[in-house]
Amino acid sequence: MNEASQYTPSTVKWNAVSASEGGWHFSEIPTGDINGVNTIYLLEQAPYPTTSLMLFMNGVLQREGASNDYTLSGATITMNQAPRTSSILTAVYQALA
């Protein structure tokens, strides 16, 4: 007789993290005008490691690199093309305290 496996999800508790504490930043909206012209946006902290940054535009993951969607220098994101006025940028990343 075959027994089916049963998945029981565990309880996950998210704690808010302020910029001064470091840790993970979830759904942060980078500062900067989204006006179809501006390409420079700032995060609260510099991602560490830099590869921890996941930047989304309108829910689509963007690719880092000069020939891709954006570049990162410290806490500054430079988009390779200015986001349209109706766009929404959100970032998820890890930072040091």
Side-chain angles (χ1 to χ4, degrees):
M1 180 172 157
N2 291 336
E3 293 183 24
S5 297
Q6 182 177 355
Y7 172 72
T8 305
S10 61
T11 302
V12 176
K13 182 177 179 183
W14 296 96
N15 294 319
V17 175
S18 71
S20 62
E21 294 180 66
W24 281 96
H25 295 249
F26 295 97
S27 298
E28 180 182 319
I29 298 172
T31 59
D33 292 332
I34 298 179
N35 57 13
V37 178
N38 183 43
T39 59
I40 307 293
Y41 300 90
L42 300 175
L43 298 168
E44 289 180 13
Q45 287 188 281
Y48 184 84
T50 58
T51 55
S52 71
L53 175 61
M54 291 180 283
L55 181 66
F56 299 88
M57 184 186 317
N58 302 323
V60 177
L61 181 63
Q62 303 296 289
R63 294 173 300 154
E64 201 249 336
S67 61
N68 290 320
D69 301 310
Y70 72 94
T71 56
L72 177 67
S73 178
T76 302
I77 297 168
T78 303
M79 301 298 294
N80 292 337
Q81 292 186 350
R84 293 191 310 208
T85 302
S86 60
S87 296
I88 298 170
L89 289 176
T90 54
V92 175
Y93 63 96
Q94 187 175 12
L96 294 175

